[in-house]
Amino acid sequence: MLFEGLDLVSALATLAACLVSVTLLLAVSQQLWQLRWAATRDKSCKLPIPKGSMGFPLIGETGHWLLQVFSKIFSHEALESYLPKIQLVIQDTLRAWSSHPEAINVYQEAQKLTFRMAIRVLLGFSIPEEDLGHLFEVYQQFVENVFSLPVDLPFSGYRRGIQARQILQKGLEKAIREKLQCTQGKDYSDALDLLIESSKEHGKEMTMQELKDGTLELIFAAYATTASASTSLIMQLLKHPTVLEKLRDELRAHGILHSGGCPCEGTLRLDTLSGLRYLDCVIKEVMRLFTPISGGYRTVLQTFELDGFQIPKGWSVMYSIRDTHDTAPVFKDVNVFDPDRFSQARSEDKDGRFHYLPFGGGVRTCLGKHLAKLFLKVLAVELASTSRFELATRTFPRITLVPVLHPVDGLSVKFFGLDSNQNKILPETEAMLSATV
Ligand code: HEM
């Protein structure tokens, strides 16, 4: 386990399972809730609501040394060193998508991409491509069965999940052992290196089991959320060609659009990315309207009152990210995809600390948020500068929210490469180009 009192995998699994039940329960209890709400607001109704302490005393103790380690893993310096590797992984992937003769399932491919990023960049494993593919399949089997009932029967989801976890742990152990033996020739420290070093510094050398659990949790945290956001990003760029053009204009103005034969591999820098204001607005807007995770859970540490309701100590409460984004008064036309709402001129997110929460809030805010944003920015830059893509279905798919937000059909898209004039590279041209090399 990475965190005291928190197993992220089971926490997320519980979250998803609860979300399904909560959705069903909500449908039934909505009428009752509205009645109770109306009664509480009605001045003539004297419901006994004693005054409690105010504020948000929901968040637990987080003084764990691992939190300090995580601040190193996701520090500015660390992100700068991951950036060229992230760019390479994304460029490789987009090349593969573009050379695929058929449309691809974006959500599935984005899951593979984030898995690859976690394995290659975050954990620094040099697993051969074929083994990586196999590990991904096992990982998917694990994730698909995380939400199963704990009934250990042959062919049950639970049994399949346990088996997948065992195979994964074996694969991870092999990769960790190889990594521990072969420390030479590396030009950067990945998250796993930092985790191992820092645990030694804190006099708490991690056992192999802790390392395996830790790596699995890191992959789990990064995988579904970032794949969901990547898919939403691609879908919004498809839906809003003007946004994509504006993004390309910004990249052009900063000399980033790839041109005539420039390999441009691993050339992005953090300060270049932070200078791209419109890109930042686009990513923020994707995360506002298509927040991958619906909400989070807390245990009430101290009785408090919220909007006339007393919330007693010891209760489990859920805060909803999606509802917050939908109802926050700071956002004008909440349902409209409008990246400019985050522009310096409008800055709709600047009023109030808790209106915009794609990565949660408070002490338990997402630890990987800077990495996630970095990944999404690089993906957007590469999509805008090296790819053209078209929806392969007649209409855009419906969105489902469980276990994380994603299009029901995964989003079918045909990708094409771009030549130096930002035009589509047709398969024949591609064949010619490779023939001349
Ligand atoms: C777009 C991508 C992502 C989104 C939307 C996201 C969102 C969230 C949210 C909402 C939480 C829960 C906060 C709460 O309980 O209130 C969380 C927790 C967490 N996330 Fe992320 N996340 C993303 C990517 C990542 C990545 C890439 C990593 C690391 C590799 C990561 C690591 C974590 C960890 C370790 C926690 C637990 C923090 C704690 O309990 O102290 N996340 N994330």
Side-chain angles (χ1 to χ4, degrees), residues 301-321:
L301 298 177
Q302 211 178 312
T303 301
F304 70 103
E305 193 184 297
L306 181 67
D307 254 348
F309 290 95
Q310 189 198 49
I311 319 288
K313 177 180 173 178
W315 272 32
S316 291
V317 292
M318 182 194 170
Y319 73 92
S320 171
I321 297 175

PDB file of all heavy atoms in Angstrom, residues 301-321:
ATOM      1  N   LEU A 301     -14.780  14.313  10.161  1.00  0.00           N
ATOM      2  CA  LEU A 301     -13.993  14.237  11.391  1.00  0.00           C
ATOM      3  C   LEU A 301     -14.628  15.046  12.513  1.00  0.00           C
ATOM      4  O   LEU A 301     -14.385  14.810  13.680  1.00  0.00           O
ATOM      5  CB  LEU A 301     -12.577  14.754  11.134  1.00  0.00           C
ATOM      6  CG  LEU A 301     -11.743  13.975  10.114  1.00  0.00           C
ATOM      7  CD1 LEU A 301     -10.397  14.637   9.919  1.00  0.00           C
ATOM      8  CD2 LEU A 301     -11.562  12.530  10.553  1.00  0.00           C
ATOM      9  N   GLN A 302     -15.433  16.010  12.117  1.00  0.00           N
ATOM     10  CA  GLN A 302     -16.016  16.913  13.096  1.00  0.00           C
ATOM     11  C   GLN A 302     -17.400  17.318  12.585  1.00  0.00           C
ATOM     12  O   GLN A 302     -17.517  17.657  11.396  1.00  0.00           O
ATOM     13  CB  GLN A 302     -15.129  18.157  13.134  1.00  0.00           C
ATOM     14  CG  GLN A 302     -15.073  18.846  14.455  1.00  0.00           C
ATOM     15  CD  GLN A 302     -14.107  20.014  14.334  1.00  0.00           C
ATOM     16  OE1 GLN A 302     -13.003  19.871  13.825  1.00  0.00           O
ATOM     17  NE2 GLN A 302     -14.555  21.168  14.761  1.00  0.00           N
ATOM     18  N   THR A 303     -18.391  17.249  13.428  1.00  0.00           N
ATOM     19  CA  THR A 303     -19.749  17.607  13.002  1.00  0.00           C
ATOM     20  C   THR A 303     -19.753  19.035  12.456  1.00  0.00           C
ATOM     21  O   THR A 303     -19.128  19.919  13.023  1.00  0.00           O
ATOM     22  CB  THR A 303     -20.716  17.501  14.206  1.00  0.00           C
ATOM     23  OG1 THR A 303     -20.650  16.163  14.678  1.00  0.00           O
ATOM     24  CG2 THR A 303     -22.134  17.850  13.812  1.00  0.00           C
ATOM     25  N   PHE A 304     -20.430  19.233  11.333  1.00  0.00           N
ATOM     26  CA  PHE A 304     -20.504  20.593  10.770  1.00  0.00           C
ATOM     27  C   PHE A 304     -21.847  20.787  10.095  1.00  0.00           C
ATOM     28  O   PHE A 304     -22.644  19.855   9.973  1.00  0.00           O
ATOM     29  CB  PHE A 304     -19.355  20.853   9.794  1.00  0.00           C
ATOM     30  CG  PHE A 304     -19.451  20.092   8.496  1.00  0.00           C
ATOM     31  CD1 PHE A 304     -19.873  20.729   7.332  1.00  0.00           C
ATOM     32  CD2 PHE A 304     -19.104  18.751   8.439  1.00  0.00           C
ATOM     33  CE1 PHE A 304     -19.961  20.029   6.130  1.00  0.00           C
ATOM     34  CE2 PHE A 304     -19.191  18.044   7.244  1.00  0.00           C
ATOM     35  CZ  PHE A 304     -19.622  18.687   6.090  1.00  0.00           C
ATOM     36  N   GLU A 305     -22.089  22.028   9.691  1.00  0.00           N
ATOM     37  CA  GLU A 305     -23.367  22.331   9.066  1.00  0.00           C
ATOM     38  C   GLU A 305     -23.132  22.853   7.666  1.00  0.00           C
ATOM     39  O   GLU A 305     -22.205  23.627   7.427  1.00  0.00           O
ATOM     40  CB  GLU A 305     -24.077  23.403   9.904  1.00  0.00           C
ATOM     41  CG  GLU A 305     -25.529  23.558   9.526  1.00  0.00           C
ATOM     42  CD  GLU A 305     -26.167  24.689  10.315  1.00  0.00           C
ATOM     43  OE1 GLU A 305     -26.234  24.599  11.550  1.00  0.00           O
ATOM     44  OE2 GLU A 305     -26.571  25.666   9.661  1.00  0.00           O
ATOM     45  N   LEU A 306     -23.942  22.384   6.741  1.00  0.00           N
ATOM     46  CA  LEU A 306     -23.799  22.828   5.358  1.00  0.00           C
ATOM     47  C   LEU A 306     -25.183  23.165   4.832  1.00  0.00           C
ATOM     48  O   LEU A 306     -26.069  22.297   4.821  1.00  0.00           O
ATOM     49  CB  LEU A 306     -23.159  21.706   4.527  1.00  0.00           C
ATOM     50  CG  LEU A 306     -22.901  22.002   3.061  1.00  0.00           C
ATOM     51  CD1 LEU A 306     -21.838  23.075   2.893  1.00  0.00           C
ATOM     52  CD2 LEU A 306     -22.467  20.735   2.332  1.00  0.00           C
ATOM     53  N   ASP A 307     -25.377  24.398   4.444  1.00  0.00           N
ATOM     54  CA  ASP A 307     -26.654  24.823   3.863  1.00  0.00           C
ATOM     55  C   ASP A 307     -27.849  24.445   4.734  1.00  0.00           C
ATOM     56  O   ASP A 307     -28.869  23.952   4.248  1.00  0.00           O
ATOM     57  CB  ASP A 307     -26.835  24.186   2.474  1.00  0.00           C
ATOM     58  CG  ASP A 307     -26.617  25.212   1.381  1.00  0.00           C
ATOM     59  OD1 ASP A 307     -26.559  26.409   1.712  1.00  0.00           O
ATOM     60  OD2 ASP A 307     -26.486  24.806   0.220  1.00  0.00           O
ATOM     61  N   GLY A 308     -27.711  24.574   6.018  1.00  0.00           N
ATOM     62  CA  GLY A 308     -28.831  24.282   6.915  1.00  0.00           C
ATOM     63  C   GLY A 308     -28.933  22.823   7.328  1.00  0.00           C
ATOM     64  O   GLY A 308     -29.815  22.449   8.102  1.00  0.00           O
ATOM     65  N   PHE A 309     -28.063  21.973   6.813  1.00  0.00           N
ATOM     66  CA  PHE A 309     -28.088  20.556   7.196  1.00  0.00           C
ATOM     67  C   PHE A 309     -26.924  20.246   8.117  1.00  0.00           C
ATOM     68  O   PHE A 309     -25.802  20.688   7.860  1.00  0.00           O
ATOM     69  CB  PHE A 309     -27.965  19.644   5.967  1.00  0.00           C
ATOM     70  CG  PHE A 309     -29.187  19.652   5.100  1.00  0.00           C
ATOM     71  CD1 PHE A 309     -29.265  20.497   4.007  1.00  0.00           C
ATOM     72  CD2 PHE A 309     -30.259  18.827   5.390  1.00  0.00           C
ATOM     73  CE1 PHE A 309     -30.387  20.513   3.212  1.00  0.00           C
ATOM     74  CE2 PHE A 309     -31.388  18.841   4.595  1.00  0.00           C
ATOM     75  CZ  PHE A 309     -31.455  19.694   3.505  1.00  0.00           C
ATOM     76  N   GLN A 310     -27.211  19.465   9.145  1.00  0.00           N
ATOM     77  CA  GLN A 310     -26.125  19.055  10.024  1.00  0.00           C
ATOM     78  C   GLN A 310     -25.512  17.754   9.499  1.00  0.00           C
ATOM     79  O   GLN A 310     -26.233  16.805   9.206  1.00  0.00           O
ATOM     80  CB  GLN A 310     -26.650  18.834  11.440  1.00  0.00           C
ATOM     81  CG  GLN A 310     -25.522  18.615  12.418  1.00  0.00           C
ATOM     82  CD  GLN A 310     -26.003  17.967  13.694  1.00  0.00           C
ATOM     83  OE1 GLN A 310     -26.722  16.966  13.655  1.00  0.00           O
ATOM     84  NE2 GLN A 310     -25.614  18.537  14.812  1.00  0.00           N
ATOM     85  N   ILE A 311     -24.200  17.736   9.377  1.00  0.00           N
ATOM     86  CA  ILE A 311     -23.512  16.521   8.918  1.00  0.00           C
ATOM     87  C   ILE A 311     -22.704  15.994  10.113  1.00  0.00           C
ATOM     88  O   ILE A 311     -21.724  16.616  10.522  1.00  0.00           O
ATOM     89  CB  ILE A 311     -22.548  16.799   7.729  1.00  0.00           C
ATOM     90  CG1 ILE A 311     -23.170  17.771   6.711  1.00  0.00           C
ATOM     91  CG2 ILE A 311     -22.072  15.501   7.091  1.00  0.00           C
ATOM     92  CD1 ILE A 311     -24.275  17.222   5.864  1.00  0.00           C
ATOM     93  N   PRO A 312     -23.129  14.862  10.680  1.00  0.00           N
ATOM     94  CA  PRO A 312     -22.485  14.410  11.920  1.00  0.00           C
ATOM     95  C   PRO A 312     -21.096  13.800  11.724  1.00  0.00           C
ATOM     96  O   PRO A 312     -20.815  13.241  10.659  1.00  0.00           O
ATOM     97  CB  PRO A 312     -23.440  13.331  12.445  1.00  0.00           C
ATOM     98  CG  PRO A 312     -24.596  13.297  11.534  1.00  0.00           C
ATOM     99  CD  PRO A 312     -24.219  13.982  10.262  1.00  0.00           C
ATOM    100  N   LYS A 313     -20.304  13.917  12.755  1.00  0.00           N
ATOM    101  CA  LYS A 313     -18.967  13.292  12.794  1.00  0.00           C
ATOM    102  C   LYS A 313     -19.127  11.783  12.531  1.00  0.00           C
ATOM    103  O   LYS A 313     -20.077  11.157  12.999  1.00  0.00           O
ATOM    104  CB  LYS A 313     -18.387  13.526  14.195  1.00  0.00           C
ATOM    105  CG  LYS A 313     -17.041  12.889  14.415  1.00  0.00           C
ATOM    106  CD  LYS A 313     -16.559  13.190  15.826  1.00  0.00           C
ATOM    107  CE  LYS A 313     -15.280  12.411  16.093  1.00  0.00           C
ATOM    108  NZ  LYS A 313     -14.723  12.670  17.388  1.00  0.00           N
ATOM    109  N   GLY A 314     -18.197  11.213  11.779  1.00  0.00           N
ATOM    110  CA  GLY A 314     -18.225   9.769  11.533  1.00  0.00           C
ATOM    111  C   GLY A 314     -18.945   9.390  10.240  1.00  0.00           C
ATOM    112  O   GLY A 314     -18.781   8.289   9.737  1.00  0.00           O
ATOM    113  N   TRP A 315     -19.767  10.305   9.691  1.00  0.00           N
ATOM    114  CA  TRP A 315     -20.467   9.982   8.442  1.00  0.00           C
ATOM    115  C   TRP A 315     -19.484   9.907   7.277  1.00  0.00           C
ATOM    116  O   TRP A 315     -18.467  10.600   7.267  1.00  0.00           O
ATOM    117  CB  TRP A 315     -21.488  11.081   8.127  1.00  0.00           C
ATOM    118  CG  TRP A 315     -22.827  10.851   8.764  1.00  0.00           C
ATOM    119  CD1 TRP A 315     -23.061  10.240   9.958  1.00  0.00           C
ATOM    120  CD2 TRP A 315     -24.090  11.251   8.232  1.00  0.00           C
ATOM    121  NE1 TRP A 315     -24.401  10.239  10.209  1.00  0.00           N
ATOM    122  CE2 TRP A 315     -25.064  10.855   9.171  1.00  0.00           C
ATOM    123  CE3 TRP A 315     -24.500  11.911   7.083  1.00  0.00           C
ATOM    124  CZ2 TRP A 315     -26.421  11.085   8.977  1.00  0.00           C
ATOM    125  CZ3 TRP A 315     -25.843  12.152   6.884  1.00  0.00           C
ATOM    126  CH2 TRP A 315     -26.794  11.735   7.825  1.00  0.00           C
ATOM    127  N   SER A 316     -19.849   9.069   6.293  1.00  0.00           N
ATOM    128  CA  SER A 316     -19.097   9.094   5.038  1.00  0.00           C
ATOM    129  C   SER A 316     -19.837  10.024   4.107  1.00  0.00           C
ATOM    130  O   SER A 316     -21.054   9.938   3.985  1.00  0.00           O
ATOM    131  CB  SER A 316     -19.069   7.705   4.409  1.00  0.00           C
ATOM    132  OG  SER A 316     -18.281   6.874   5.206  1.00  0.00           O
ATOM    133  N   VAL A 317     -19.111  10.916   3.486  1.00  0.00           N
ATOM    134  CA  VAL A 317     -19.769  11.847   2.565  1.00  0.00           C
ATOM    135  C   VAL A 317     -19.073  11.788   1.216  1.00  0.00           C
ATOM    136  O   VAL A 317     -17.910  11.401   1.118  1.00  0.00           O
ATOM    137  CB  VAL A 317     -19.734  13.303   3.091  1.00  0.00           C
ATOM    138  CG1 VAL A 317     -20.579  13.472   4.317  1.00  0.00           C
ATOM    139  CG2 VAL A 317     -18.309  13.761   3.336  1.00  0.00           C
ATOM    140  N   MET A 318     -19.818  12.158   0.193  1.00  0.00           N
ATOM    141  CA  MET A 318     -19.220  12.183  -1.135  1.00  0.00           C
ATOM    142  C   MET A 318     -19.328  13.606  -1.685  1.00  0.00           C
ATOM    143  O   MET A 318     -20.379  14.234  -1.525  1.00  0.00           O
ATOM    144  CB  MET A 318     -19.999  11.242  -2.051  1.00  0.00           C
ATOM    145  CG  MET A 318     -19.414  11.174  -3.434  1.00  0.00           C
ATOM    146  SD  MET A 318     -20.569  10.405  -4.564  1.00  0.00           S
ATOM    147  CE  MET A 318     -19.755  10.734  -6.102  1.00  0.00           C
ATOM    148  N   TYR A 319     -18.256  14.104  -2.240  1.00  0.00           N
ATOM    149  CA  TYR A 319     -18.386  15.403  -2.926  1.00  0.00           C
ATOM    150  C   TYR A 319     -18.406  15.108  -4.419  1.00  0.00           C
ATOM    151  O   TYR A 319     -17.685  14.236  -4.896  1.00  0.00           O
ATOM    152  CB  TYR A 319     -17.255  16.365  -2.522  1.00  0.00           C
ATOM    153  CG  TYR A 319     -15.895  16.046  -3.105  1.00  0.00           C
ATOM    154  CD1 TYR A 319     -15.485  16.614  -4.317  1.00  0.00           C
ATOM    155  CD2 TYR A 319     -15.026  15.184  -2.460  1.00  0.00           C
ATOM    156  CE1 TYR A 319     -14.246  16.335  -4.858  1.00  0.00           C
ATOM    157  CE2 TYR A 319     -13.783  14.888  -2.993  1.00  0.00           C
ATOM    158  CZ  TYR A 319     -13.397  15.465  -4.182  1.00  0.00           C
ATOM    159  OH  TYR A 319     -12.175  15.177  -4.719  1.00  0.00           O
ATOM    160  N   SER A 320     -19.290  15.811  -5.125  1.00  0.00           N
ATOM    161  CA  SER A 320     -19.419  15.527  -6.551  1.00  0.00           C
ATOM    162  C   SER A 320     -18.702  16.592  -7.383  1.00  0.00           C
ATOM    163  O   SER A 320     -19.055  17.769  -7.345  1.00  0.00           O
ATOM    164  CB  SER A 320     -20.895  15.485  -6.947  1.00  0.00           C
ATOM    165  OG  SER A 320     -20.976  15.417  -8.358  1.00  0.00           O
ATOM    166  N   ILE A 321     -17.703  16.139  -8.108  1.00  0.00           N
ATOM    167  CA  ILE A 321     -16.956  17.062  -8.966  1.00  0.00           C
ATOM    168  C   ILE A 321     -17.866  17.513 -10.118  1.00  0.00           C
ATOM    169  O   ILE A 321     -17.959  18.684 -10.454  1.00  0.00           O
ATOM    170  CB  ILE A 321     -15.694  16.361  -9.524  1.00  0.00           C
ATOM    171  CG1 ILE A 321     -14.763  15.978  -8.380  1.00  0.00           C
ATOM    172  CG2 ILE A 321     -15.000  17.251 -10.552  1.00  0.00           C
ATOM    173  CD1 ILE A 321     -13.540  15.180  -8.797  1.00  0.00           C
TER     174      ILE A 321
END
